[in-house]
Amino acid sequence: MRIADLRPPETATVRAALDLAVRYLTPALAAHSIRSWYWAAGFAEVQGLRPDRELLAVAALLHDLGLAEEFDAVRTPYEIGGGHVAAVFGAGAGWSRDLQQRLVEVIERHNWPEVDPGLDVEGHLLEIATGLDISGARPDALPREYLLEVLEAYPRGALATDFGDRVAERAERKPTSQAARLVAGGLRQKLAANPLESL
């Protein structure tokens, strides 16, 4: 398993999503979004799943847009607000309304405690990919050489502080949100103890 074999689809929509992520997210969050694609693609290989690769790539790249200051929703949890921003992007890319809705669902569900692949294969892959990158879940499910290659290409940088601060701030303002659940579940401690930090 190598980066070269699992690159995102080379489509104009994926390139535009990457540009949007780099433009609006901090460097640490943009790198997290790119790693999320590579972890999701790796998990798809390991689990024998066949996702819609373009949908998964766009969802991975844009899943944290709700943490950007420009898209901070007053009442809406960040994953839902960010999902709808991504849907607007999808509309501009010419995606059908059904595919735009799938983008909303995948991004919203990535913050669920668990997503059944029978319900949503892309949501499942993004949930476990972000679970690895943020909380360190399933660190042994992907080959160590692949983990090291992705981390070398897209270092974690200030992710623990950046992500932890942004989610904690959203949790304080939105106490019934998934952000609040993440913080209550020890988000900062999990970020600090993530085995990817020491690879």
Side-chain angles (χ1 to χ4, degrees), residues 119-186:
L119 168 70
D120 182 348
V121 66
E122 294 83 13
H124 165 73
L125 290 168
L126 188 57
E127 178 259 314
I128 62 175
T130 56
L132 169 60
D133 209 56
I134 297 300
S135 301
R138 299 178 177 87
D140 300 323
L142 299 177
R144 178 181 172 85
E145 295 76 14
Y146 181 66
L147 296 176
L148 289 169
E149 184 185 12
V150 173
L151 290 168
E152 182 178 0
Y154 305 102
R156 295 177 67 77
L159 178 67
T161 301
D162 192 352
F163 186 82
D165 288 351
R166 288 169 186 271
V167 173
E169 193 274 336
R170 269 62 171 189
E172 185 174 349
R173 285 193 281 124
K174 303 166 189 179
T176 61
S177 67
Q178 292 289 346
R181 178 187 62 81
L182 291 171
V183 171

Side-chain angles (χ1 to χ4, degrees), residues 37-107:
W37 156 261
Y38 281 109
W39 303 150
F43 281 125
E45 289 288 311
V46 168
Q47 296 183 6
L49 298 174
R50 299 179 62 85
D52 178 324
R53 286 171 48 82
E54 185 173 58
L55 171 62
L56 180 58
V58 172
L61 291 167
L62 303 184
H63 77 272
D64 275 340
L65 278 185
L67 292 176
E69 293 302 321
E70 293 85 349
F71 304 124
D72 183 17
V74 174
R75 297 181 181 86
T76 305
Y78 78 87
E79 69 277 8
I80 298 175
H84 285 282
V85 173
V88 173
F89 166 85
W95 284 16
S96 69
R97 185 171 290 187
D98 287 345
L99 196 51
Q100 294 167 40
Q101 180 58 32
R102 284 292 298 124
L103 193 53
V104 173
E105 291 168 352
V106 173
I107 291 175

